Short mmCIF file of all heavy atoms in Angstrom, two decimals:
data_model
loop_
_atom_site.label_atom_id
_atom_site.label_comp_id
_atom_site.label_asym_id
_atom_site.label_seq_id
_atom_site.Cartn_x
_atom_site.Cartn_y
_atom_site.Cartn_z
N VAL A 1 103.52 186.43 66.53
CA VAL A 1 102.93 186.49 67.87
C VAL A 1 103.15 187.89 68.42
O VAL A 1 104.30 188.35 68.52
CB VAL A 1 103.57 185.45 68.81
CG1 VAL A 1 102.89 185.50 70.18
CG2 VAL A 1 103.44 184.04 68.23
N ILE A 2 102.06 188.57 68.76
CA ILE A 2 102.19 189.86 69.43
C ILE A 2 101.75 189.69 70.88
O ILE A 2 100.76 189.04 71.16
CB ILE A 2 101.37 190.97 68.73
CG1 ILE A 2 99.89 190.63 68.71
CG2 ILE A 2 101.91 191.23 67.33
CD1 ILE A 2 99.01 191.80 68.32
N ARG A 3 102.53 190.26 71.78
CA ARG A 3 102.23 190.14 73.20
C ARG A 3 101.54 191.41 73.70
O ARG A 3 102.06 192.51 73.51
CB ARG A 3 103.52 189.91 73.99
CG ARG A 3 103.28 189.59 75.46
CD ARG A 3 104.57 189.22 76.19
NE ARG A 3 105.42 190.37 76.44
CZ ARG A 3 106.57 190.59 75.83
NH1 ARG A 3 107.01 189.73 74.92
NH2 ARG A 3 107.30 191.66 76.10
N ILE A 4 100.36 191.24 74.30
CA ILE A 4 99.69 192.37 74.93
C ILE A 4 100.16 192.46 76.37
O ILE A 4 99.83 191.61 77.21
CB ILE A 4 98.16 192.24 74.86
CG1 ILE A 4 97.68 192.27 73.41
CG2 ILE A 4 97.49 193.34 75.68
CD1 ILE A 4 96.17 192.15 73.25
N ASP A 5 100.97 193.48 76.67
CA ASP A 5 101.44 193.73 78.02
C ASP A 5 100.53 194.74 78.69
O ASP A 5 99.93 195.60 78.03
CB ASP A 5 102.87 194.27 78.00
CG ASP A 5 103.91 193.17 77.85
OD1 ASP A 5 104.02 192.36 78.77
OD2 ASP A 5 104.60 193.14 76.81
N ARG A 6 100.42 194.64 80.01
CA ARG A 6 99.69 195.66 80.76
C ARG A 6 100.41 196.99 80.63
O ARG A 6 101.64 197.04 80.55
CB ARG A 6 99.58 195.27 82.24
CG ARG A 6 98.84 193.97 82.50
CD ARG A 6 97.37 194.08 82.13
NE ARG A 6 96.64 192.88 82.49
CZ ARG A 6 95.91 192.76 83.60
NH1 ARG A 6 95.85 193.75 84.48
NH2 ARG A 6 95.24 191.63 83.83
N LEU A 7 99.65 198.07 80.64
CA LEU A 7 100.23 199.40 80.48
C LEU A 7 101.30 199.68 81.53
O LEU A 7 102.35 200.24 81.25
CB LEU A 7 99.13 200.46 80.57
CG LEU A 7 99.51 201.86 80.10
CD1 LEU A 7 99.68 201.90 78.59
CD2 LEU A 7 98.46 202.88 80.53
N GLU A 8 101.04 199.23 82.77
CA GLU A 8 101.98 199.51 83.85
C GLU A 8 103.29 198.74 83.69
O GLU A 8 104.28 199.04 84.39
CB GLU A 8 101.35 199.17 85.21
CG GLU A 8 100.79 197.77 85.33
CD GLU A 8 99.31 197.69 84.97
OE1 GLU A 8 98.86 198.52 84.14
OE2 GLU A 8 98.63 196.82 85.51
N SER A 9 103.34 197.77 82.78
CA SER A 9 104.58 197.02 82.55
C SER A 9 105.58 197.79 81.70
O SER A 9 106.76 197.47 81.67
CB SER A 9 104.27 195.69 81.86
OG SER A 9 103.44 194.88 82.67
N ALA A 10 105.09 198.79 80.98
CA ALA A 10 105.98 199.58 80.13
C ALA A 10 106.68 200.63 80.98
O ALA A 10 106.09 201.62 81.39
CB ALA A 10 105.17 200.24 79.02
N ASN A 11 107.93 200.43 81.26
CA ASN A 11 108.71 201.34 82.11
C ASN A 11 109.19 202.53 81.29
O ASN A 11 110.34 202.59 80.85
CB ASN A 11 109.90 200.61 82.74
CG ASN A 11 109.44 199.50 83.66
OD1 ASN A 11 108.49 199.67 84.42
ND2 ASN A 11 110.11 198.37 83.60
N LEU A 12 108.31 203.44 81.03
CA LEU A 12 108.64 204.57 80.17
C LEU A 12 109.74 205.41 80.79
O LEU A 12 109.68 205.78 81.96
CB LEU A 12 107.40 205.42 79.93
CG LEU A 12 106.20 204.66 79.32
CD1 LEU A 12 105.05 205.61 79.12
CD2 LEU A 12 106.60 204.01 78.02
N GLY A 13 110.76 205.74 80.00
CA GLY A 13 111.86 206.56 80.47
C GLY A 13 112.97 205.77 81.13
O GLY A 13 114.09 206.22 81.19
N LEU A 14 112.66 204.59 81.65
CA LEU A 14 113.68 203.77 82.31
C LEU A 14 113.61 202.35 81.76
O LEU A 14 113.31 201.40 82.47
CB LEU A 14 113.46 203.76 83.83
CG LEU A 14 113.72 205.08 84.55
CD1 LEU A 14 113.26 204.97 86.01
CD2 LEU A 14 115.21 205.44 84.49
N PRO A 15 113.84 202.18 80.46
CA PRO A 15 113.73 200.85 79.87
C PRO A 15 114.77 199.90 80.43
O PRO A 15 115.93 200.25 80.59
CB PRO A 15 113.97 201.09 78.38
CG PRO A 15 114.76 202.37 78.33
CD PRO A 15 114.28 203.19 79.49
N ARG A 16 114.34 198.70 80.78
CA ARG A 16 115.28 197.70 81.27
C ARG A 16 115.85 196.94 80.08
O ARG A 16 115.31 197.00 78.98
CB ARG A 16 114.57 196.72 82.21
CG ARG A 16 113.44 195.95 81.57
CD ARG A 16 112.68 195.10 82.55
NE ARG A 16 111.56 194.41 81.93
CZ ARG A 16 111.67 193.28 81.27
NH1 ARG A 16 112.85 192.70 81.15
NH2 ARG A 16 110.62 192.71 80.72
N ASP A 17 116.92 196.22 80.28
CA ASP A 17 117.53 195.42 79.22
C ASP A 17 116.97 194.00 79.34
O ASP A 17 117.28 193.27 80.27
CB ASP A 17 119.05 195.40 79.40
CG ASP A 17 119.74 194.68 78.26
OD1 ASP A 17 119.03 194.09 77.42
OD2 ASP A 17 120.97 194.71 78.20
N PRO A 18 116.11 193.61 78.39
CA PRO A 18 115.44 192.31 78.51
C PRO A 18 116.15 191.16 77.82
O PRO A 18 115.58 190.08 77.69
CB PRO A 18 114.10 192.58 77.80
CG PRO A 18 114.49 193.51 76.69
CD PRO A 18 115.65 194.35 77.22
N LYS A 19 117.41 191.35 77.40
CA LYS A 19 118.02 190.38 76.49
C LYS A 19 118.17 188.98 77.07
O LYS A 19 118.32 188.02 76.31
CB LYS A 19 119.37 190.90 75.99
CG LYS A 19 120.47 190.99 77.05
CD LYS A 19 121.75 191.52 76.44
CE LYS A 19 122.88 191.58 77.44
NZ LYS A 19 124.14 192.10 76.85
N THR A 20 118.15 188.85 78.40
CA THR A 20 118.25 187.50 78.98
C THR A 20 116.89 186.90 79.31
O THR A 20 116.83 185.77 79.80
CB THR A 20 119.11 187.53 80.26
OG1 THR A 20 118.54 188.43 81.21
CG2 THR A 20 120.53 187.95 79.95
N ASP A 21 115.80 187.62 79.05
CA ASP A 21 114.45 187.04 79.23
C ASP A 21 114.13 186.22 77.99
O ASP A 21 113.28 186.56 77.17
CB ASP A 21 113.41 188.15 79.42
CG ASP A 21 113.60 188.91 80.71
OD1 ASP A 21 114.21 188.33 81.65
OD2 ASP A 21 113.14 190.05 80.80
N LEU A 22 114.82 185.11 77.84
CA LEU A 22 114.83 184.37 76.58
C LEU A 22 113.46 183.86 76.16
O LEU A 22 113.18 183.70 74.97
CB LEU A 22 115.82 183.21 76.66
CG LEU A 22 117.27 183.61 76.91
CD1 LEU A 22 118.17 182.38 76.94
CD2 LEU A 22 117.76 184.60 75.86
N LEU A 23 112.58 183.59 77.11
CA LEU A 23 111.26 183.09 76.76
C LEU A 23 110.42 184.15 76.03
O LEU A 23 109.37 183.84 75.47
CB LEU A 23 110.50 182.61 77.99
CG LEU A 23 111.06 181.38 78.70
CD1 LEU A 23 110.18 181.00 79.88
CD2 LEU A 23 111.20 180.20 77.74
N MET A 24 110.89 185.40 76.01
CA MET A 24 110.15 186.48 75.34
C MET A 24 110.73 186.81 73.96
O MET A 24 110.36 187.82 73.36
CB MET A 24 110.12 187.72 76.23
CG MET A 24 109.35 187.51 77.51
SD MET A 24 108.84 189.03 78.36
CE MET A 24 110.43 189.74 78.77
N ARG A 25 111.60 185.96 73.45
CA ARG A 25 112.22 186.24 72.16
C ARG A 25 111.22 186.03 71.01
O ARG A 25 110.15 185.45 71.17
CB ARG A 25 113.45 185.36 71.95
CG ARG A 25 113.14 183.91 71.64
CD ARG A 25 114.38 183.05 71.68
NE ARG A 25 114.12 181.70 71.17
CZ ARG A 25 114.97 180.69 71.29
NH1 ARG A 25 116.14 180.86 71.90
NH2 ARG A 25 114.67 179.50 70.78
#
């Protein structure tokens, strides 16, 4: 499964830590 995210969702330079967004594993 590949997820197409909106371009504005990619926080370039300031990546967040998504490890607890478990539904996106």
Side-chain angles (χ1 to χ4, degrees):
V1 182
I2 60 167
R3 188 174 74 251
I4 296 180
D5 279 294
R6 299 294 185 99
L7 194 71
E8 53 267 29
S9 298
N11 297 318
L12 303 181
L14 292 171
R16 61 185 178 83
D17 185 353
K19 68 180 182 180
T20 58
D21 294 336
L22 299 181
L23 293 182
M24 295 197 296
R25 74 190 189 191

